[in-house]
Every structure is written in C-alpha cells, then in structure tokens.
C-alpha cells in the first residue's frame, strides 16, 4: 500500500472536512487501484468510528474516545503491551488480541478490561496505524515443507513465508551469514506474512559489515537520496555583525561528515558570565514544506555509526552551514546572562554574522588541565590557541556554574560513558545536545562537547521561556519522573552494601539522595547502572497552547524579584532544543519558529509607530498588545508542531537510540571474542534469580553467569539484598563483588556472553562442607 493509516489520518481534522478527491491528491494516488485502496481504508475506519464520512460533507476525524493510540512493545516471552502516547497505564494485549500487529507497530487499542491495583488494563488492537518493520534480519529454515524466515529479533512473534527459490539461502553448519528479508505482504486473517530474501549478510565481514547489519535491523539502511537542492542563502537584513567577537568552536567529533555544532563566546559579567551561543542558520536555508524539508522530516535526525555518520542534512546544505575558523558565517544567536549560582537572569535572541576565532579540540583541553596555573611557557599543542586561553578558563567556569545550578534544581547526572574503544569512533564523546541519555552526563573537562552541553541547555531553556511568554508553538523535551520501585531496589542494594543510607517507612529515597551516597561508594559504576533504569525514556511533546510562566515573571529582569522568578521558571521549563539543527529535525523546527519571530514578527502595532519592540529580548511580551503574525503565518507555524508528527519524530529518535545501543553492544562483544576460554577478573553488575551479570575487561563488557552453572550448591535469590546465597555453604554473590570468571561463549548477534565462575585459588579460607574452597568475596577498589 502506498500510504499508511497514519498518513491518511494526518490529512484529516475534527473541524474542517476533507473530500476524498483531495485526500487522493495529497497522498499522491494516481491509478484506480490506489484509489480503491483508499476507499477500502475509509470504509474500515468509518466502521471503527475513527472517521466520520459523509458523502456531502466530506471526511472528518471522529471523536473515538474509546480508541487509544499506542505503540506495541513485545518481549521474547510473548508478552505484549501497548505503550500509550498520553502517558496512561500500559495496556496488556493477549496474543489472540494482537490482530497480526508486530512489535514496534503504532496501533489503535480498545480497552476490554479495566486494570486493578496490581493488574494492568487489558485490550485489543483494533487498527494498525503504521508498521515499523518493512525489512528484517533472520535465518532461512524449512518447516513442514514450507520455506520460512525466522526473525533474529525474538520480539517479532511471527515467521515470514518465502518462495522456493530462496532455498539457496538455507544456512550452513555453522552458519556464516544471515539474510535480509523484505516483507511483501503482512498477515491478514488466515493468510500468513509473505516476503523474499533481499540479500545475504555476512556474520564476520568486519566493522563495515557489522554496521550494515545493524542498519538493516533498524530499517535505516536503504533511505532515499536527498533531492537536488542546495538550499537558499540566509537574508542579510537585520543581522547583527559579531565578526569581531572571538567565538570558539567546541568539537570532539573527528569524522568528516559529523553534524556542525554551535559556536560560543563567554566573558565575565557581574560576578557570573555573559554567554553567547551561535547556532548555524540551517532553518533559513530550508523552505518549510518543500521537497528538501519533507526529506528531512522523514530522516528525523543524524545517526552516529561510530567511525562514520548517517547525516541529517544533505551534503550541500551541511557544507553551506558549516562554521570555519576565520570565515564569516550566518548564525542564529542568543546572548544570556548567567549568575555565579548558574541561574539564567537575562537573554536576547538575534540573527547574526560571526567569524569563529579558534576550534577547541580534546587535546587542547587535556593540555589546559595539565598546565600549571602560573606557568609562563605555553605547550606546543596550545600555541595555536594561546590568545584564547583566558576565555577557555571562563568557559569552564560558566559550564561549572550552570552544571551546579542544574544539580541544585534537581538534575540527575550519571557518569556512564561508553568505553574508550577505537571502533566506537565518535560515540565515545558526549552528545553536545545532551539528549542521548535519559539523564544528564557528568561534566568532563577533557571533552569539548561535554563542556558545550550545559551551555546549550541554557540556550534551550531560554528559548522555552521566551516562546512560552509569546505563545509560540514549540516542540519540547519532556523528562519523566524516576520509577519509585527501581529507586527502592537501588536503596535496598545500597543498604545491603552497608552504605550510609537511611530508609523511611516507605523505603523510597529520592534519586538525588541515592546519588549522594553512591558517589562515595566503591561500587559507584554498577550502582549508577542500576539507578539509570529508574528513568523513563524522554519524549518530545508539542506545545501550542499558552502556558503560565510565573506570576512574578512580568517584572523587569533587573530587579531581584524578577531574577528569582526567571531562575525558578528556568528550572521548571522543559528543554526546547533549537541550536543543533544539523543534528535533529526537532531543533530545525524550533529554529524555524525562532527565525520567523525575528524576521516576520510584527515589532510595532502599525507602521505609523516609530518605536519598535525588540522581539528577541527577555520581557518583550510585557509590552506586546498586538498580534505577532498574520492568521496565515500563525497557521503555517502551528501546522508543523502537530501531535501526530511529533510522535513520528519520537519513533525516529527511538530507532536511532536502539541502533546506537546495539552498535555499542556489538563493538563490546567483538572486543570480548579474544577472551573466549580466558580467565579474567570482573565485578558483579547485576543479580537476578537466574544468575548474575559480571563486567569483565577494560571495556566493561557484561556477561552472565547462569545459576545452573553454580553446581557447588543450591542458590536462592534474595531480592531485598540483591544477592544469591548458597543454602549449604552460605557463599554469596552480591552486587559489586569481585569474582574470577572464565569466558565460555560470545554471541555477537544477540550480545550475549556466557561466563563461568571460578574458585579463588589464593583464598586462605578453609574448604566448605562440600570439599570445595569457597570463593573470596571482596569489593573492587577500582571502578
């Protein structure tokens, strides 16, 4: 089918009717077969109550309050849940209620049984809005005289029927390749899914083959080429000339096609800092709604593949937007005043022209950190940037102030960087936008992009406040609250490890309280890993309604009361990213709204008024008594920030995040392959009833010691202490313990490493009752 149900519903609204002919034209349906498919879809949706189709009045979206939009998430055990977009309780879907929906599909669900205190509501899939799987990776098998593709992803609870000519791809023993299968027909009623083998995928073809395999698994390997468009040049009208300002480019990424990042300039101001953030003017080069813009919407964001990138922008636009040292470039800028406590006190947005003075690399920051404070000589690596050394110190001061301010306002920062493996390439560096993780990365003064993170977050908070005060549409990042049950589990583990933590009657301390205790523990890394599971996935949300900022925010920022109001609001405002438009389409949309404000916004009620209102300045909304845009301009801005489109951006983001996690896991597993049959020391990073996980080697790759391999005793799992305890010899395996293990097997495809625990032969303890020497349990002092 040329369109999905989600595509169809995107063209409809509750208020304005749409004709069938208009729908066919918008969806680019030309022949009769495609138009008949549209009619079938409309009839089915009308029966479900999703749309209201009247021959004379056209087609409207129905209310359908009993139908809930959700994303299907299945497990390898066959349990499926519909994850609601509105944040409500997950809905359990029994296998006979799936109606052929697969893991990851967007669906409409009807609740059939309400939930209870300890029971999720149950429901059934009524309609599949959008399929997430068009190709999959699997192996070819012959079962009951039928040729089938068995998906490698065991969350896809299905098989694909293949034509007989694909028998040539039946695997050898042992298998040396997998296959990419394209779905030709999804299952309908009693008819099974059908597909064909598109190509074989080698299992041991090197790093490039591994990346291709993971891209294929994520469905991101065969994306359409960019349209022939170099973009338009930004307008010179109304730009502020900042070419005399010695702006710095903070960059850790080394791959040539990595996205362009903002430049910054910081200077001391009123005991704190005055910070400029200059973002590449990408949005001014992209015409909203043209072929290039639609291509970018489908891509969603740039994806880092370690040693290479799958960029968001086309090559021509990326080149035109790139900042170069000594080159004059167009930018979208914000000037912010930051107090010594890390509070945002004032700001002003502007279109500008800049000329960066230097590019700061990791080697520069390492040399700055190692240089003695009063040293008169300048190391060779710092000589190209010697004129910027004082500004670098001011940048570090500003970043620390902002970071401490965020922590004081409740931000959670974890130090869980990927291992420094060459094969990970650019993935070892911090994501400058700070959106890679569900938490904030700890500040690393040797990583330029880690320093850039808090600076960009301040710019994103400033635009969130400014857009809200002017009632402008925006897409914001919503961070969910940590899971109290996971926090309780971490707290129980901390108490079992004799860490200084006191639990109240509820037994649920805050994440900040746990971090204070964990930071001083030898088991910090493994405890932070466990704590990281408490944070739900971040998601983007559309904001089109005016929100109340603060009753005190109407005051001028120069007063103490206004400063406190702005600071308080800034801590409560979700991030509204706009500075990394070469990295994410969300930033591009928000930057388009910002540029529209500065270029098209009415800065005076009529042309007869001489005094103009600076629409980029903080507090300008207090003096605004007229509409900012015409009705058509307003509708155009708000038409992009729709809930359904934001859901698609969230799907693209999840795809990229899963691909990144899979890539890191595969690289770590590849690094563990040489350890097979080797004996290594490791640290227990997780304990479950079926065994315990151990981090081994310098890469911190994680393997499993299954409880069935502990044949010296019968071990019972004590969840409160997060440990396994032998019934006879009382031997314990607990989170953070150091153990000696043997690497038995490495499964790179499933990222599984099997380990076997070994006795500590250096132990001086007496042998246990079974004659085996007990394993010494010790705490690692090197995390």
């Amino acid at each position: 089918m040329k369109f999905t149900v989600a595509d169809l519903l995107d063209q409809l609204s509750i208020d304005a009717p749409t004709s069938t002919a208009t729908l066919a034209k918008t969806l680019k349906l030309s022949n009769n077969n495609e138009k008949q498919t549209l009619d079938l879809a409309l009839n089915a949706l009308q029966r479900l109550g999703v749309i209201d189709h009247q021959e004379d009045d056209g087609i409207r979206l129905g209310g359908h309050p009993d139908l809930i939009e959700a994303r299907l998430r299945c497990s390898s055990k066959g349990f499926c849940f519909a994850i609601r977009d509105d944040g409500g309780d997950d809905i359990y879907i029994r296998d006979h209620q799936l109606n052929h929906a697969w893991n990851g599909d967007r669906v409409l669900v009807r609740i059939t049984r309400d939930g209870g205190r300890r029971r999720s509501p149950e429901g059934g899939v009524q309609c599949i809005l959008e399929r997430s799987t068009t190709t999959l990776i699997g192996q070819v098998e012959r079962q009951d005289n039928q040729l089938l593709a068995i998906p490698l992803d065991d969350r896809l609870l299905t098989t694909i029927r293949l034509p007989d000519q694909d028998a040539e791809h039946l695997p050898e023993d042992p298998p040396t390749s997998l296959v990419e299968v394209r779905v030709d027909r999804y299952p309908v009623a009693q008819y099974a899914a059908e597909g064909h083998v598109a190509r074989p995928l080698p299992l041991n073809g090197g790093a490039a083959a591994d990346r291709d395999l993971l891209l294929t698994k994520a469905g991101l390997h065969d994306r359409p080429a960019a349209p022939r468009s170099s973009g338009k040049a930004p307008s010179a009208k109304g730009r502020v000339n900042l070419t005399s300002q010695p702006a710095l480019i903070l960059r850790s990424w080394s791959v040539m096609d990595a996205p362009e990042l903002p430049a910054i300039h910081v200077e001391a101001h009123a005991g704190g800092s005055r910070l400029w953030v200059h973002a590449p003017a990408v949005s001014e080069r992209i015409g909203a709604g043209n072929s290039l813009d639609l291509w970018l919407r489908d891509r969603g964001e740039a994806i880092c593949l370690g040693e290479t990138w799958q960029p968001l922008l086309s090559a021509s636009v990326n080149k035109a937007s790139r900042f170069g040292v000594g080159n004059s470039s167009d930018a979208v800028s914000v000037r912010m005043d930051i107090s010594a406590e890390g509070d945002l006190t004032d700001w002003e947005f502007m279109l500008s022209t800049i000329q960066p003075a230097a590019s700061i690399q990791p080697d520069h920051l390492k040399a700055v950190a190692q240089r003695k404070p009063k040293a008169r000589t300048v190391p060779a690596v710092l000589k190209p940037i010697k004129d910027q050394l004082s500004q670098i110190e001011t940048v570090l001061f500003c970043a620390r102030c902002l970071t401490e301010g965020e922590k004081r306002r409740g931000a959670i920062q974890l130090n869980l960087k990927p291992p420094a493996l060459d094969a990970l390439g650019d993935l070892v560096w911090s994501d400058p936008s700070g959106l890679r993780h569900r938490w904030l990365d700890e500040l690393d003064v040797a990583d330029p992009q880690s320093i850039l993170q808090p600076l960009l977050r301040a710019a994103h908070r400033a635009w969130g406040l400014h857009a809200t005060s002017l009632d402008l549409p925006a897409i914001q990042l919503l961070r969910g609250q940590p899971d109290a049950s996971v926090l309780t589990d971490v707290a129980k583990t901390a108490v079992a490890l004799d860490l200084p933590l006191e639990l109240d009657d509820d037994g649920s301390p805050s994440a900040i309280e746990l971090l204070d205790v964990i930071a001083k523990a030898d088991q910090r890394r493994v405890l932070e890993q466990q704590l990281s599971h408490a944070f739900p996935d971040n998601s983007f949300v559309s904001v089109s309604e005016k929100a109340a900022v603060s009753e005190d925010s109407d005051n001028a920022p120069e007063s103490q009361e206004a400063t406190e109001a702005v600071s308080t609001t800034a801590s409560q405002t979700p991030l509204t990213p706009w500075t990394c438009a070469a990295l994410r389409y969300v930033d591009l949309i928000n930057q388009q709204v910002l540029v529209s404000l500065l270029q098209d916004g009415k800065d005076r009620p009529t042309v007869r008024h001489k005094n103009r209102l600076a629409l980029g300045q903080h507090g300008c909304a207090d003096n605004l008594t007229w509409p900012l845009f015409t009705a058509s301009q307003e509708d155009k801005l708000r038409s992009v920030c729709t809930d359904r489109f934001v859901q698609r951006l969230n799907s693209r983001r999840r795809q990229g995040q899963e691909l990144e996690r899979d890539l890191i896991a595969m690289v770590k597993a590849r690094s563990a392959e040489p350890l097979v049959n080797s004996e290594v020391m490791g640290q227990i990073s997780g304990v479950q009833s079926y065994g315990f996980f151990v981090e081994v080697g310098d890469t911190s790759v994680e393997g499993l010691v299954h409880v069935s391999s502990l044949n010296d005793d019968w071990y019972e799992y004590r969840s409160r202490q997060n440990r396994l305890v032998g019934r006879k010899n009382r031997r314990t395996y607990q989170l953070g313990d150091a153990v000696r293990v043997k690497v038995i097997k490495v499964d790179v495809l499933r990222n599984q490493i099997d380990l076997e625990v070994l006795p500590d032969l250096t132990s001086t303890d007496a042998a246990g009752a079974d004659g085996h020497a007990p394993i010494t349990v010790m705490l690692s002092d090197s995390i």
Side-chain angles (χ1 to χ4, degrees):
M1 192 164 65
K2 195 173 181 179
F3 62 92
T4 67
V5 176
D7 293 331
L8 191 158
L9 297 181
D10 281 344
Q11 313 305 321
L12 302 177
S13 68
I14 296 178
D15 303 322
T18 305
S19 67
T20 304
T22 302
L23 266 180
K25 183 178 180 181
T26 304
L27 296 173
K28 299 180 180 179
L29 309 181
S30 54
N31 58 52
N32 290 331
N33 288 335
E34 292 173 345
K35 293 178 180 179
Q36 287 177 358
T37 302
L38 176 62
D39 291 336
L40 288 173
L42 292 175
N43 290 334
L45 291 173
Q46 185 175 18
R47 292 184 181 184
L48 289 173
V50 178
I51 64 171
D52 183 14
H53 187 186
Q54 301 293 334
E55 292 295 336
D56 299 333
D57 194 29
I59 308 165
R60 303 172 189 261
L61 281 178
H64 60 87
D66 59 334
L67 294 178
I68 301 169
E69 287 195 29
R71 178 174 56 89
L72 199 63
R73 185 175 67 194
C74 299
S75 72
S76 59
K77 306 296 183 183
F79 300 106
C80 293
F81 287 87
I83 312 302
R84 299 174 58 161
D85 294 325
D86 57 9
D89 292 337
D90 298 345
I91 304 170
Y92 176 55
I93 311 293
R94 296 183 182 274
D95 54 357
H96 67 278
Q97 295 278 20
L98 285 172
N99 288 328
H100 299 305
W102 293 350
N103 178 63
D105 289 349
R106 295 200 59 76
V107 294
L108 284 178
V109 175
R110 178 176 282 118
I111 293 180
T112 58
R113 181 177 179 182
D114 293 332
R117 225 171 109 189
R118 296 190 177 182
R119 188 186 67 220
S120 298
E122 295 185 17
V125 174
Q126 304 299 304
C127 177
I128 299 174
L129 296 175
E130 189 173 29
R131 290 283 189 178
S132 68
T133 303
T134 57
T135 65
L136 54 88
I137 297 175
Q139 285 187 329
V140 180
E141 292 185 8
R142 190 177 293 279
Q143 298 179 2
D144 299 329
N145 295 324
Q146 287 188 343
L147 201 64
L148 302 176
I150 310 300
L152 180 67
D153 188 349
D154 52 12
R155 297 172 301 174
L156 293 175
L157 312 176
T158 186
T159 57
I160 311 295
R161 187 176 297 172
L162 302 175
D164 291 336
Q165 56 265 32
D166 285 340
E168 62 178 311
H169 298 287
L170 285 168
E172 304 171 359
D173 189 20
T176 58
S177 67
L178 298 171
V179 293
E180 175 195 351
V181 177
R182 291 191 178 275
V183 180
D184 298 325
R185 187 190 70 189
Y186 292 98
V188 178
Q190 72 271 27
Y191 299 101
E194 293 183 354
H196 68 277
V197 174
R199 56 177 178 146
L201 297 167
L203 292 180
N204 297 295
D210 285 348
R211 286 194 296 269
D212 185 32
L213 191 148
L214 293 177
L215 282 170
T216 305
K217 177 183 176 184
L220 297 171
H221 62 296
D222 190 18
R223 308 179 84 176
R228 293 183 178 180
S229 174
S230 57
K232 55 184 180 179
S235 172
K237 182 180 179 181
R239 306 200 90 87
V240 180
N241 189 343
L242 298 175
T243 54
S244 61
Q245 183 187 89
L248 303 178
I249 301 172
L250 302 182
R251 189 177 185 87
S252 308
W253 291 330
S254 59
V255 178
M256 289 300 296
D257 57 352
E260 185 60 22
L261 297 177
I264 58 99
H265 174 72
V266 186
E267 61 186 36
H269 175 75
S273 309
R274 175 160 283 180
L275 165 66
W276 278 266
V277 174
H278 307 294
V282 176
S283 63
E284 295 184 72
R285 301 179 183 276
I286 309 296
N290 64 14
S291 59
L292 180 58
D293 184 46
L294 296 177
W295 180 77
L296 293 173
R297 291 185 192 183
D298 184 64
R299 293 180 78 82
E301 60 183 54
I303 299 175
C304 181
L305 301 172
E307 298 171 327
T308 184
W309 279 79
Q310 196 175 79
L312 169 65
L313 303 179
S314 63
S316 58
V317 175
N318 196 37
K319 181 180 179 180
S321 305
R322 191 171 293 277
F323 290 159
V325 174
N327 297 333
S328 179
S329 303
D330 296 317
V332 184
S333 304
V334 60
R335 185 269 305 158
M336 296 172 286
D337 290 345
I338 311 295
S339 71
E341 291 74 29
D343 295 326
L344 179 62
T345 59
D346 193 21
W347 62 79
E348 181 180 7
F349 293 91
M350 66 197 78
L351 302 177
S352 65
T353 304
I354 68 167
Q355 186 171 310
S359 177
I360 309 302
Q361 309 292 329
D363 290 344
H364 297 145
L365 292 182
K366 291 178 183 177
V368 168
Q370 295 170 0
R371 188 181 180 219
K372 294 181 180 179
K374 297 182 180 180
R376 295 184 179 181
T377 60
V378 178
V381 70
L382 294 178
K383 286 184 178 180
I385 62 167
K386 63 180 181 179
D387 295 335
Q388 309 303 328
L389 293 180
S390 60
Q391 186 183 176
I392 292 175
E393 294 294 339
T394 308
V395 170
L396 291 171
F397 169 76
C398 181
R400 290 190 180 102
C401 289
L402 287 168
T403 300
E404 291 302 317
E406 289 176 315
K407 291 170 67 175
R408 190 180 66 254
R409 292 189 292 268
I412 302 300
Q413 292 182 317
L414 302 180
N415 186 18
L416 295 175
K417 295 183 65 175
L421 293 170
D422 292 340
L424 286 179
D426 281 351
L427 282 173
V428 302
W429 303 109
S430 299
D431 173 15
S433 68
L435 304 184
R436 177 186 291 180
H437 301 132
R438 297 163 292 177
W439 56 88
L440 304 185
D441 293 322
E442 192 171 88
L443 186 65
D444 182 359
V445 295
D447 181 354
Q449 292 175 185
S450 177
I451 297 171
L452 191 59
Q453 264 193 25
L455 310 184
L456 297 189
R457 283 197 296 266
H460 297 163
R461 288 198 300 272
W463 176 240
L465 290 167
H466 202 74
T468 301
S469 68
L470 294 173
D471 189 21
L472 295 175
I475 297 179
Q476 296 180 338
L477 183 74
L478 185 64
R479 298 187 186 274
Q481 295 298 316
D483 189 331
S485 62
V486 178
L487 295 181
T488 301
D489 291 340
V490 178
K492 291 176 181 178
T493 302
V495 171
L497 293 172
D498 296 325
L499 298 182
L501 177 67
E502 294 184 3
L503 298 180
D504 54 21
D505 294 337
D506 295 332
S508 297
S510 69
I512 297 177
E513 291 173 334
L514 285 172
L515 276 178
D516 289 341
V517 175
I518 290 173
K520 305 169 186 176
D522 292 336
Q523 305 89 345
R524 176 182 176 181
R525 177 175 173 81
V526 292
L527 286 170
E528 283 194 349
Q529 282 182 326
Q530 189 178 9
L531 180 61
S532 68
H533 299 300
F535 303 100
D537 290 334
N538 300 326
S539 60
F540 294 119
V541 294
S542 174
V543 178
S544 57
E545 298 291 334
K546 185 174 179 64
V549 178
S550 173
E551 294 179 359
D552 297 329
S553 62
D554 293 334
N555 301 325
E558 290 77 12
S559 67
Q560 178 66 26
E561 293 80 8
T563 299
E564 292 175 356
V566 172
S567 302
T568 301
T569 307
S571 67
Q572 299 170 349
T573 301
L575 298 179
T576 308
W578 63 274
T579 62
C580 298
L583 184 62
R584 290 185 174 87
Y585 189 79
V586 168
D587 292 63
L588 179 59
I589 290 179
N590 287 327
Q591 192 181 111
Q592 284 176 343
V593 177
L594 169 54
V595 170
S596 295
L597 171 69
L598 299 177
Q599 287 185 338
D600 305 325
K602 291 180 62 177
D603 55 5
R604 49 183 174 169
T606 65
V607 294
R608 294 191 297 270
H609 286 75
K610 294 183 178 180
N611 296 329
R612 296 174 182 267
L613 184 63
L615 297 179
Q617 284 187 352
H618 168 242
C620 69
D622 302 336
N623 301 313
L624 186 66
T625 58
W626 58 88
L628 272 175
F629 302 102
T630 64
S632 60
Q633 289 173 331
E634 182 84 12
D635 292 341
K636 186 176 180 180
L637 285 178
R638 297 189 182 276
S639 64
V640 180
C641 302
T642 62
D643 290 338
R644 192 175 299 279
F645 176 62
V646 173
Q647 291 168 5
R648 292 194 176 187
L649 292 179
N650 282 325
S651 297
R652 297 289 184 270
R653 183 165 181 265
R654 280 190 295 268
Q655 275 184 307
Q657 288 176 326
E658 290 179 2
L659 175 59
E660 180 183 306
R661 285 194 292 265
D662 287 346
L663 180 59
I664 293 176
M666 178 170 279
V667 169
K668 291 170 71 173
R670 288 291 188 194
S671 71
E673 285 182 317
L675 298 178
V676 173
N677 296 324
S678 299
E679 298 179 8
V680 294
M681 290 299 297
Q683 185 181 41
I684 297 179
S685 58
V687 183
Q688 298 292 335
S689 59
Y690 50 82
F692 56 87
F693 295 92
V694 181
E695 283 191 347
V696 297
D698 297 333
T699 63
S700 298
V701 63
E702 196 173 55
L704 174 66
V705 176
H706 198 272
V707 70
S708 61
S709 68
L710 302 175
N711 51 19
D712 62 327
D713 201 350
W714 178 273
Y715 286 86
E716 62 181 19
Y717 175 56
R718 297 184 180 178
S719 59
R720 186 173 183 82
Q721 293 85 21
N722 209 351
R723 64 175 62 162
L724 288 172
V725 180
R727 286 188 177 182
K728 183 171 60 173
N729 58 25
R730 313 309 297 171
R731 184 175 298 161
T732 63
Y733 295 103
Q734 182 171 284
L735 190 78
D737 287 351
V739 292
R740 194 160 60 95
V741 295
K742 182 178 181 180
V743 181
I744 303 301
K745 180 183 177 183
V746 175
D747 188 337
V748 175
L749 290 176
R750 293 177 173 83
N751 302 319
Q752 295 176 354
I753 300 175
D754 296 335
L755 305 175
E756 182 181 83
V757 72
L758 298 173
D760 188 348
L761 301 180
T762 63
S763 173
T764 57
D765 294 341
D770 58 356
H772 291 82
I775 297 176
T776 301
V777 178
M778 53 185 177
L779 298 181
S780 173
D781 57 2
S782 59
I783 304 300

